[in-house]
Amino acid sequence: MTDKFAFMVDCETLGTDPGCPVVGVAAVVFDPSSPFDPEAVADEDKFESYCSLESAMAAGLTPSPGSILFWMEQPDAARKRVFGAAGETRKDLKNMLSELAFFMSRRAPAYGISLADAPIWSHGKDFDPKVLQAAYDAVGQRVPWNFRHSMDTRTAFRLAGVEYKGKAHTPLEDCLAQCAAVCEAISRLGLGAGLAGLRVDVDALAQHIRTVDGENSLGAGRLAEEIVAFLEAPGTGDGGIAAADRGRKRSAVAFGAEVEDGFAFGGSRWP
């Protein structure tokens, strides 16, 4: 069993090193031990905000030349997300970071956990947390999480054999995709909710019980084995479907990935 509550964070930057400008940030509350459905995340459990590049640079954060060239070569929608549309007024960096801290300080207690004890997942422990730490330092604010609880998606993916390649989405979309991938990795590692994480087709289960023990001739132990086998069996409607499997398919559809006999996500394939 693993943590039942965590945050996933992701940021939009102009650079890859601490001290580069952070112009966008997102966070999502999720349960790493259970299947993840991005469409089921409540509005109050997700956060996304952007600030002006000017305010980030005024705070002393410096973009790398390569990052500016990279963003200039991206589609108009991506550039507007980072630099803002013509005439758009954006909040400053300090306000954006304050909003993130406020969101996290409200959501952790809502789930009965202290923010100081909340796990913070990110796609690369040495990127998002350290870049955000430098941004908080630049505006004179304290980072809202405890560095001791930073969790790295890449480690989980490697241990579980999950191949994940993100796309050029928004920080919020990246958070949602990474939550789904982490939950898949945790499940593969045998650290998830187990049978408690299943969403069962009750009618199908009842029919299965009538089929295997219609005359009530099986003992309790044998019947229990049949029920567990039913719950764990993969399927597409002819039996109990693990929520992990259904959640993966919902996640793939939500992000435009192709689903065949495995799970493709973000341009990668999960067999």
Side-chain angles (χ1 to χ4, degrees):
M1 189 65 67
T2 189
D3 299 297
K4 297 286 292 180
F5 174 91
F7 289 105
M8 180 69 72
V9 297
D10 189 88
C11 55
E12 198 86 271
T13 68
L14 274 80
T16 58
D17 297 319
C20 69
V22 178
V23 295
V25 66
V28 171
V29 171
F30 75 115
D31 177 358
S33 71
S34 299
F36 183 80
D37 179 3
E39 296 180 358
V41 179
D43 288 342
E44 60 266 27
D45 283 337
K46 52 190 176 184
F47 168 86
E48 186 176 41
S49 185
Y50 293 87
C51 71
S52 68
L53 174 60
E54 291 79 9
S55 69
M57 294 179 66
L61 302 177
T62 306
S64 67
S67 68
I68 295 176
L69 292 175
F70 168 81
W71 283 111
M72 290 298 98
E73 294 172 353
Q74 300 309 302
D76 288 345
R79 291 201 305 273
K80 289 178 181 177
R81 188 174 73 244
V82 172
F83 299 105
E88 178 184 357
T89 300
R90 286 189 166 182
K91 67 192 67 173
D92 63 26
L93 174 66
K94 187 174 184 177
N95 287 342
M96 182 185 76
L97 296 178
S98 295
E99 289 178 355
L100 173 63
F102 181 74
F103 165 79
M104 298 176 79
S105 70
R106 293 293 297 272
R107 297 319 297 155
Y111 284 86
I113 186 171
S114 166
L115 180 54
D117 297 324
I120 308 296
W121 285 86
S122 59
H123 193 48
K125 186 177 177 181
D126 290 331
F127 179 64
D128 298 274
K130 291 188 176 181
V131 167
L132 285 168
Q133 174 73 67
Y136 273 102
D137 290 343
V139 297
Q141 294 182 6
R142 184 177 180 179
V143 70
W145 57 82
N146 188 328
F147 73 92
R148 294 181 179 86
H149 300 304
S150 293
M151 311 292 287
D152 189 347
T153 63
R154 298 178 191 273
T155 300
F157 297 163
R158 183 163 185 172
L159 290 173
V162 170
E163 183 182 355
Y164 174 85
K165 295 180 180 178
K167 286 185 176 180
H169 291 304
T170 68
L172 179 57
E173 289 172 328
D174 285 341
C175 277
L176 294 170
Q178 287 154 199
C179 287
V182 165
C183 291
E184 167 66 10
I186 295 298
S187 176
R188 287 193 186 189
L189 292 169
L191 301 173
L195 293 180
L198 296 179
R199 296 178 183 175
V200 180
D201 184 333
V202 176
D203 291 336
L205 175 57
Q207 180 59 46
H208 180 70
I209 292 173
R210 285 192 290 269
T211 299
V212 300
D213 194 26
E215 299 180 357
N216 298 318
S217 58
L218 295 181
R222 178 63 180 143
L223 180 58
E225 291 176 356
E226 288 288 345
I227 292 174
V228 169
F230 172 87
L231 294 175
E232 292 182 334
T236 56
D238 56 346
I241 301 176
D245 181 56
R246 298 201 303 199
R248 287 196 297 270
K249 290 179 180 179
R250 279 196 297 270
S251 298
V253 171
F255 290 93
E258 178 183 0
V259 181
E260 295 176 357
D261 57 336
F263 175 42
F265 201 103
S268 63
R269 182 142 189 92
W270 293 5

